[in-house]
Amino acid sequence: MAQSRSLIRGAAIGVVGGVLVFAAALLIGLVSSGSRPVFLVGAIAGAVFAFIPGGDRRFEAAGVLVIGVGGVVSGLISGWGWLEYSAVLGSVLAVGWLFTGERLPNDHWAWFRWGGVLLLLLVYVLLPQVIDGGTLGHDEAAYAVKAKSWLDGTPETGWAPHRATGMSVYGYLVLAAGGAEPGLRMIGLVSVLGLAAGVWALGRRLANPRVGALAAVAVVAGPSMLRRATEYLSDLPAATLLVLCMVVVWKEFGDRDRPTYRLLWLLPLSWAAFYLRYQSILSLALIALVMVVLWWRKIRERPGPVLAVAVVGLLGLIPHAVEAMQLTGKPWGILTFTGEIAERAYVGEGIFDYLSLLIWPLAGFIGPIAVVAALGGVVAYWRDSLMRERFLFLLVPAVLQVLALGLLSHGEARFVFFPLALIVVAGVMAADRWISEGRTAVAPVAWGLAILLIGSMGLSAGTVRRAVENRALVNLPMELAAIEVRSQAGSETCGVLTTFTPQVTYYSECSSLPYLAGEDPGTAVALLEGPKRFMVLVEDGRRQPEGDDLDGLVALTAGPPVTIPGALDSYVYLFAD
């Protein structure tokens, strides 16, 4: 019986080794796509591996070799692929691990070091995607046109007041230093590493370094998170700063009897989060709410630091209020404008969107498990006042933000990076507590989650590569068309009718206006600036003129378009004088 158990355990170790090799191949780019069932099987094998007690090493090695031989046989019969290579190499590594010792690092800092290695692998994955990311996308270009207008006086069409000025300030600094798309997108890569560091610090303070390290890797292992780390967008930078705000709040209230004036560190963090993404005001309000609810007694005993943060914090919003008055006539006009342009088909659409995103895009395999673990932790430790305080601190702002956004707008993964980070920390904290209490049923689950986590990182890396390649193919036609417009316009002022207003504005330095369905063609052309007026269309582009609308616009052009071939063709029409 013991020999049979050893054989099964060895086979499980071989499967785990193969899955880890396959995940590593995905991470470093040796293979571009993966199979999710591979990692599910690996997680199950990992659970079996953790559950079955150790036995005869010889039979365990035999079980490992069964997996390796299976890989060889599969390769000889159906051809060698990465699954076969992974099974063989994973078995070899597993046998070596068996006979050199199975002891995993137990000290907390060892987990931190391994987490650091995984994050360095992510930098290796993401840096080429940042450098070779291609043409700016719609939202990226919307921030960039504002920065370019400050620098060179070019038009800023495609920019709108709801886009926080902090991102354009960053863009101005990059462009003024001679940078281009890679420099603009570097903020995403720096932010995802900063988010990992912030989550590690939060988990370490709330529990221990092990929780911090595991939560940090789990948060950034999702495909949406890694994809946004290759873009010039505000979501990740703002989420990073908000997590750091949570670290400061816990340090001053959770770890102390009374807050100190070190709470003033909230000011630069919260200002930066707000000016990078105006929607951060909701998160900051929820952080303030949970701070007051949980620690009202401490605030009442020493109100000075909180009052200082509140008063000086409001003073820091004066520049925004002035800008809002100039643009909208109201000091809160930009914030209400942001709410007014939110898209939703029905009230609560976003909640259903987030539930569907949770299965894979938002947080890989770990998202749903983190939610269940976090809620389970609340139930299991509600009577423990210290644990209850920790769970409420994390989950109240997270859940309320998801509900608020879900009711107000449609759901996108990038809108909820901050609450996702808090939920993952809560889930890992609950799991760590269960394991530390010696609950044997949790051990196999923990091993399974470890394999799923590494698998998520590998699959996410492959997803990011494909997403960046597709993004570059889709956006390139707009850049090529814009360059053609600039070439034809020469030094003259120009205007462009196009669906892709920010991108065409940025690359052509012409003002641009969107096409409006049903608009009179003559009126649309008359609204364009300059003596040189163009229309840019892209193959399969959305919201472009069709049918009679297109025929009416084409009738006003000076001749056939310049066709720019590519994966998607683009067409540049010059309107007649």
Side-chain angles (χ1 to χ4, degrees):
M1 190 66 174
Q3 294 171 346
S4 299
R5 285 200 303 269
S6 298
L7 191 66
I8 294 172
R9 184 173 187 265
I13 296 173
V15 171
V16 169
V19 169
L20 294 179
V21 169
F22 191 56
L26 280 169
L27 270 171
I28 63 179
L30 295 177
V31 57
S32 60
S33 61
S35 173
R36 296 184 193 181
V38 170
F39 296 106
L40 293 175
V41 171
I44 295 170
V48 174
F49 157 48
F51 183 73
I52 296 176
D56 191 317
R57 290 287 177 90
R58 295 171 301 171
F59 283 90
E60 288 176 357
V64 171
L65 291 176
V66 166
I67 302 301
V69 171
V72 172
V73 172
S74 175
L76 293 175
I77 294 175
S78 60
W80 286 91
W82 264 104
L83 287 178
E84 287 75 20
Y85 289 126
S86 299
V88 173
L89 183 56
S91 296
V92 172
L93 295 176
V95 168
W97 181 66
L98 276 174
F99 285 99
T100 56
E102 303 175 22
R103 193 168 182 271
L104 290 174
N106 290 321
D107 65 288
H108 291 166
W109 289 103
W111 288 97
F112 170 68
R113 290 193 294 271
W114 280 107
V117 169
L118 290 174
L119 292 178
L120 287 176
L121 274 176
L122 289 184
V123 174
Y124 172 83
V125 169
L126 295 175
L127 189 58
Q129 314 309 318
V130 171
I131 295 173
D132 300 323
T135 306
L136 295 177
H138 179 276
D139 292 320
E140 295 176 303
Y143 293 117
V145 293
K146 186 72 168 177
K148 197 171 186 179
S149 71
W150 289 337
L151 185 64
D152 300 325
T154 53
E156 59 181 38
T157 46
W159 178 85
H162 71 284
R163 299 191 183 279
T165 55
M167 290 296 291
S168 295
V169 169
Y170 169 79
Y172 175 87
L173 296 175
V174 171
L175 297 178
E181 291 91 342
L184 294 173
R185 287 176 171 143
M186 195 59 68
I187 191 173
L189 179 57
V190 172
S191 295
V192 79
L193 296 177
L195 180 63
V199 168
W200 173 80
L202 185 62
R204 181 177 68 87
R205 288 202 165 273
L206 287 166
N208 54 60
R210 179 174 60 249
V211 168
L214 291 175
V217 175
V219 165
V220 301
S224 294
M225 186 78 71
L226 293 186
R227 183 163 67 90
R228 297 303 180 186
T230 67
E231 296 177 348
Y232 170 46
L233 294 177
S234 62
D235 310 277
L236 266 175
T240 298
L241 293 163
L242 291 169
V243 168
L244 293 176
C245 286
M246 293 287 284
V247 174
V248 172
V249 170
W250 181 262
K251 182 178 179 181
E252 291 302 307
F253 287 97
D255 289 345
R256 298 181 188 276
D257 293 331
R258 295 178 182 178
T260 70
Y261 280 92
R262 292 188 182 92
L263 193 66
L264 290 172
W265 279 108
L266 281 178
L267 294 175
L269 294 172
S270 57
W271 285 336
F274 176 74
Y275 282 106
L276 284 173
R277 183 171 177 78
Y278 292 143
Q279 292 87 340
S280 298
I281 194 71
L282 173 61
S283 304
L284 293 169
L286 292 173
I287 292 173
L289 173 65
V290 75
M291 183 174 68
V292 171
V293 170
L294 289 180
W295 297 299
W296 173 246
R297 181 185 59 80
K298 294 182 180 182
I299 294 173
R300 188 176 56 189
E301 290 177 356
R302 193 180 188 194
V306 175
L307 290 175
V309 168
V311 172
V312 181
L314 290 175
L315 292 177
L317 299 182
I318 291 177
H320 171 76
V322 171
E323 181 187 24
M325 284 290 294
Q326 294 173 344
L327 295 174
T328 68
K330 300 176 182 178
W332 55 83
I334 291 178
L335 299 179
T336 56
F337 173 77
T338 301
E340 290 169 359
I341 64 172
E343 299 178 2
R344 66 180 184 188
Y346 53 88
V347 176
E349 178 190 9
I351 294 175
F352 291 99
D353 290 339
Y354 292 130
L355 288 174
S356 63
L357 289 170
L358 192 62
I359 297 173
W360 167 253
L362 183 56
F365 292 128
I366 304 301
I369 300 168
V371 171
V372 172
L375 296 178
V378 173
V379 174
Y381 300 111
W382 185 256
R383 294 184 179 181
D384 184 330
S385 60
L386 293 178
M387 289 297 291
R388 181 173 67 244
E389 182 180 69
R390 286 167 168 79
F391 281 116
L392 290 176
F393 175 64
L394 293 169
L395 295 180
V396 168
V399 172
L400 290 181
Q401 178 164 333
V402 171
L403 289 176
L405 293 176
L407 293 172
L408 293 172
S409 178
H410 70 292
E412 289 191 31
R414 63 191 180 97
F415 295 166
V416 290
F417 285 159
F418 170 60
L420 169 67
L422 302 186
I423 291 171
V424 169
V425 172
V428 174
M429 185 171 65
D432 182 76
R433 179 67 179 267
W434 289 328
I435 294 171
S436 66
E437 290 176 349
R439 302 189 182 188
T440 56
V442 178
V445 175
W447 276 105
L449 291 180
I451 303 302
L452 281 177
L453 176 57
I454 296 173
S456 287
M457 291 183 64
L459 287 175
S460 296
T463 300
V464 170
R465 291 189 185 93
R466 293 193 299 273
V468 172
E469 290 170 0
N470 292 336
R471 182 186 72 198
L473 287 175
V474 170
N475 290 334
L476 181 60
M478 278 80 83
E479 180 181 3
L480 297 178
I483 292 172
E484 176 63 26
V485 165
R486 184 71 266 165
S487 176
Q488 291 191 36
S491 59
E492 295 188 84
T493 304
C494 47
V496 185
L497 186 68
T498 180
T499 302
F500 311 99
T501 49
Q503 291 144 299
V504 169
T505 298
Y506 181 78
Y507 288 105
S508 71
E509 299 184 350
C510 300
S511 65
S512 61
L513 292 175
Y515 161 75
L516 301 176
E519 187 177 21
D520 177 70
T523 302
V525 175
L527 292 173
L528 298 175
E529 293 184 11
K532 294 288 187 178
R533 293 173 292 182
F534 302 86
M535 178 171 64
V536 168
L537 302 177
V538 175
E539 181 185 355
D540 296 330
R542 295 185 302 169
R543 301 174 184 173
Q544 296 185 141
E546 299 175 344
D548 293 340
D549 292 338
L550 178 58
D551 293 339
L553 290 167
V554 171
L556 300 176
T557 61
V562 173
T563 301
I564 305 172
L568 295 173
D569 293 346
S570 55
Y571 309 92
V572 177
Y573 293 83
L574 174 64
F575 287 111
D577 295 336

